[in-house]
Amino acid sequence: MSRDKEPFPYEALSLQALWGLDESLSLTPQDKRTFQKEAFVFRAPQTQTPPPTARTSAPLGETPHQAMPLRTVPSFSTKAPDPSKAATLEELRALMEAFDGCELKQTATHTVFGMGNARTPDVMCVGEAPGADEDRQGLPFVGVSGQLLDKMLAAIGLTRQKNVYISNIIPWRPPGNRQPSPLETSLCLPFIQRHIALIKPRFLVLLGGTAAKTLLQTKEGIMTLRTRWHSYACPGLEAPIPTCVLFHPAYLLRSPGQKRLAWLDLLKLQEALAAGAPQ
Ligand code: URA
């Protein structure tokens, strides 16, 4: 399409892309601060109606504002299935794929479930949420932070092919890689709790503040949480799992100066793995 012929606001679009917008959810802007869980109604802003001469045809199949009717967006169901009913990973995956209570699923390409040794893992790593590469491939930690995670694990003799299983708190990519909201994490929490109970790893590794705070149900910051061992318990687990908190690899990519501390944390994990318990 030629830029000269089409009166399309490319400059405005590139500014939004620069700000991190990468998904179009609706033709009308919505103020998420006033977003209700229940059904909500929006009306095309009358003051912004373009004069009739400004646009004679709607580009890209878009309906002009003046023609847009009052529209009700269907409410999404917040009724979650009971993941504790899932007896196997396959059943859990099917429950998650059938769950429509989290709006992140509407913009995601895949439900990113888990990957690695699901039978006898020494370590289960839990991250925050898939990014663009993970969403495209349907697998956790396959982008640049995944590559760093693999290197970190390999440095202490762990690989997802052999002795590690990897998943996330949230199985659907948040648009623009934004941080998941408290509502989104609480909606997804029962799924990852069941996931951990079914995998039953020897050790649990929580990657970054969101995973640590959500699963340990604490407001403490990662700088404090990473300095000690925790004990993770949830319904369906016969015994609590020794748990440590590591910096998220994406944070280490942004702050390479923290790799020194991350290395000390990995050595602590390696020592516990060799001894069979935190030292
Ligand atoms: N970051 C995460 O927290 N999880 C992924 O799967 C990828 C990046």
Side-chain angles (χ1 to χ4, degrees):
M1 188 192 317
S2 147
R3 283 185 61 161
D4 301 336
K5 287 187 195 140
E6 202 58 57
F8 193 76
Y10 285 97
E11 283 71 24
L13 196 61
S14 28
L15 179 63
Q16 298 208 21
L18 196 70
W19 283 341
L21 181 142
D22 64 355
E23 309 282 347
S24 167
L25 306 184
S26 159
L27 294 177
T28 307
Q30 294 165 27
D31 184 350
K32 285 283 181 178
R33 290 166 303 182
T34 58
F35 178 75
Q36 301 288 315
K37 257 194 296 162
E38 306 305 328
F40 64 95
V41 172
F42 64 88
R43 190 191 293 271
Q46 297 304 306
T47 50
Q48 290 177 19
T49 302
T53 49
R55 184 188 279 175
T56 48
S57 65
L60 303 176
E62 185 188 330
T63 311
H65 278 167
Q66 62 267 40
M68 187 181 271
L70 181 71
R71 188 172 146 214
T72 303
V73 175
S75 63
F76 59 81
S77 158
T78 51
K79 247 199 243 155
D82 182 1
S84 68
K85 298 251 169 15
T88 62
L89 289 175
E90 290 69 31
E91 285 180 25
L92 182 65
R93 184 198 279 265
L95 278 184
M96 285 162 72
E97 285 178 347
F99 177 53
D100 281 327
C102 179
E103 63 167 0
L104 293 177
K105 192 176 177 202
Q106 294 166 17
T107 48
T109 312
H110 284 104
T111 297
V112 177
F113 186 72
M115 179 185 191
N117 177 346
R119 286 170 168 269
T120 53
D122 288 322
V123 167
M124 176 169 177
C125 294
V126 181
E128 180 177 301
D133 293 310
E134 290 77 18
D135 182 51
R136 221 172 287 126
Q137 297 185 42
L139 295 169
F141 282 100
V142 289
V144 277
S145 37
Q147 286 160 19
L148 177 57
L149 176 64
D150 285 341
K151 281 188 196 157
M152 290 163 66
L153 296 172
I156 56 166
L158 299 170
T159 65
R160 49 180 115 188
Q161 291 77 23
K162 210 171 68 192
N163 44 16
V164 176
Y165 184 82
I166 303 180
S167 188
N168 280 303
I169 298 282
I170 306 272
W172 300 290
R173 181 194 180 212
N177 295 343
R178 66 162 169 79
Q179 213 185 357
S181 71
L183 173 66
E184 289 155 358
T185 47
S186 61
L187 282 167
C188 296
L189 180 60
F191 292 112
I192 188 66
Q193 285 177 325
R194 187 66 190 150
H195 212 143
I196 296 168
L198 288 170
I199 294 287
K200 289 192 196 70
R202 286 177 60 213
F203 290 87
L204 193 57
V205 171
L206 307 180
L207 300 168
T210 301
K213 289 177 195 177
T214 306
L215 286 173
L216 300 175
Q217 297 282 289
T218 177
K219 287 192 164 46
E220 278 184 277
I222 184 147
M223 277 299 181
T224 317
L225 292 170
R226 57 163 281 279
T227 58
R228 61 177 199 273
W229 280 95
H230 306 267
S231 185
Y232 175 78
C234 72
L237 264 184
E238 284 150 30
I241 305 174
T243 299
C244 68
V245 175
L246 298 185
F247 289 128
H248 194 289
Y251 168 72
L252 292 173
L253 287 171
R254 291 193 304 272
S255 311
Q258 299 288 39
K259 286 185 181 171
R260 190 182 65 83
L261 290 180
W263 175 237
L264 297 177
D265 296 343
L266 284 168
L267 291 178
K268 185 182 70 177
L269 174 62
Q270 185 181 39
E271 189 187 21
L273 280 162
Q279 298 303 291

